[in-house]
Amino acid sequence: MLTAIAAVLGGLFLLVLGADRFVSGASGSARALGVPPLIIGLTIVGIATSMPEVLVGGVAAWDEKTRIAIGNALGSNIANVGLVLGATALFTPLLVQSQTLTREFILMCAAMLVALLVMLDLRLERGDGMLLLGVLALMLFWIVRKAREEARSAPRDEESKQAPSLLKSAVLILVGLVILLLGAELLVRGAVYIAREIGVDDLVIGLTIIAVGTSLPELAASLMSVAKKEIDIAIGNIIGSNMFNMLMVLGIPCIIYPDNFGKEVLLRDFPIMAGLTLLMGWMVFYSSKNRFSRLEGTVLLLCFAGYQYWLFLG
């Protein structure tokens, strides 16, 4: 038990350390390339912090347990909005200055809709996985093209002229990612061991600890982004990660091993995920106009806690 506790504490330390390096590299890349920070958050940071979900899903599918990957993808999205965004907004109110947020939020909702359509038959086939990955490729192409058009039309300020080298930023991103993944691995392994020791069911572990554990890089990266005054990277990270979870984290496992899943996924978990996503949109676009307050962060955290409580009762 002491070893497991040490693993949890060590994992938390590595997550903070890795997030600091990672966000510094992402911020430097945005300035060096003249790309809006939100786009960096959506693409580089979003993909990278989704790697734990991809790895967990791929390994689970290889072991012919694709349903674990499905639960991880949906659970991670719920954790990203309820836990990551909620905790980040509670840490400090978030003022999103990017004018592209509406467009990217719509893309995230579109990814969620595509995922729902291929899941309606309660089975994910290889063709479904190829469709999901194809949609992701099209979305990324469109996002990058729009970002390059906007970057060309925008004047370069003094900050972008004094930006760090792209190579140095890329190295920081790589080093930060490796540390984040190691931290997440340590933390999840330690937490799973502790949970089993106190008698928590394996299914509940998968729906809670694994989903939350693979979302810890997003939490660490978002909190560090806020601490470094890179608010758009923090928001872009959450939106991008949710988009990748719906398209890549769901797509890859079902290509590896097509499988059926229970109807509770569509009756319980998907509606919770969709509801939190829409609540997030209402908060930022209608409630407080491009701003997440501490009160709204508290509401998101309470929704997440309620969902976890529901799972444990079930």
Side-chain angles (χ1 to χ4, degrees):
M1 180 68 80
L2 288 177
T3 303
I5 294 173
V8 169
L9 295 176
L12 286 171
F13 172 76
L14 289 176
L15 283 172
V16 174
L17 180 64
D20 178 70
R21 302 294 188 275
F22 192 86
V23 173
S24 295
S27 174
S29 298
R31 294 197 302 272
L33 295 171
V35 175
L38 178 66
I39 303 302
I40 294 294
L42 277 164
T43 54
I44 297 175
V45 181
I47 290 175
T49 55
S50 291
M51 283 300 105
E53 286 91 339
V54 173
L55 293 173
V56 169
V59 171
W62 189 261
D63 291 336
E64 301 183 357
K65 297 176 180 177
T66 303
R67 283 170 287 187
I68 291 178
I70 295 171
N72 183 34
L74 298 180
S76 293
N77 272 20
I78 292 169
N80 283 345
V81 177
L83 175 63
V84 177
L85 182 58
T88 305
L90 192 62
F91 178 71
T92 183
L94 305 176
L95 179 61
V96 185
Q97 299 184 11
S98 175
Q99 298 302 308
T100 63
L101 180 61
T102 303
R103 186 177 67 204
E104 318 313 341
F105 181 82
I106 291 173
L107 280 180
M108 180 181 65
C109 291
M112 189 170 61
L113 179 60
V114 173
L116 175 62
L117 291 176
V118 302
M119 295 174 71
L120 285 176
D121 60 354
L122 301 182
R123 180 174 176 81
L124 286 175
E125 299 279 0
R126 287 192 173 91
D128 297 329
M130 296 299 292
L131 174 62
L132 292 172
L133 292 179
V135 171
L136 175 61
L138 289 174
M139 286 185 174
L140 285 176
F141 174 78
W142 188 77
I143 288 172
V144 172
R145 191 183 71 173
K146 294 294 290 185
R148 292 179 66 182
E149 290 175 357
E150 292 170 0
R152 281 196 297 266
S153 61
R156 293 181 65 86
D157 54 20
E158 289 301 317
E159 183 182 7
S160 39
K161 292 176 184 176
Q162 299 172 2
S165 73
L166 187 58
L167 177 60
K168 179 181 178 181
S169 298
V171 170
L172 280 174
I173 287 175
L174 181 60
V175 170
L177 174 60
V178 171
I179 297 175
L180 278 172
L181 294 179
L182 287 175
E185 174 72 10
L186 271 177
L187 186 56
V188 170
R189 284 187 178 274
V192 167
Y193 180 85
I194 293 171
R196 284 178 175 163
E197 284 294 303
I198 61 178
V200 178
D201 182 73
D202 279 352
L203 176 61
V204 175
I205 290 173
L207 288 169
T208 56
I209 295 176
I210 293 179
V212 172
T214 54
S215 293
L216 288 175
E218 284 92 339
L219 177 59
S222 291
L223 288 174
M224 196 58 66
S225 297
V226 168
K228 291 177 175 290
K229 309 299 182 184
E230 297 286 355
I231 306 298
D232 280 2
I233 288 182
I235 301 297
N237 169 38
I238 294 168
I239 293 177
S241 180
N242 278 18
M243 188 169 70
F244 296 125
N245 284 343
M246 286 294 91
L247 300 175
M248 183 167 62
V249 178
L250 274 180
I252 291 176
C254 64
I255 291 175
I256 296 174
Y257 185 76
D259 200 4
N260 300 316
F261 56 90
K263 61 182 180 180
E264 68 271 10
V265 172
L266 294 182
L267 296 178
R268 179 191 63 195
D269 305 312
F270 207 102
I272 292 293
M273 181 190 68
L276 274 175
T277 302
L278 294 176
L279 178 60
M280 168 189 171
W282 177 79
M283 285 178 172
V284 71
F285 296 120
Y286 298 105
S287 174
S288 50
K289 298 297 181 183
N290 288 8
R291 189 175 186 273
F292 286 103
S293 66
R294 285 193 174 93
L295 175 61
E296 290 166 336
T298 302
V299 170
L300 291 175
L301 281 171
L302 288 175
C303 290
F304 176 74
Y307 172 68
Q308 299 297 300
Y309 182 70
W310 184 13
L311 287 178
F312 274 96
L313 279 182

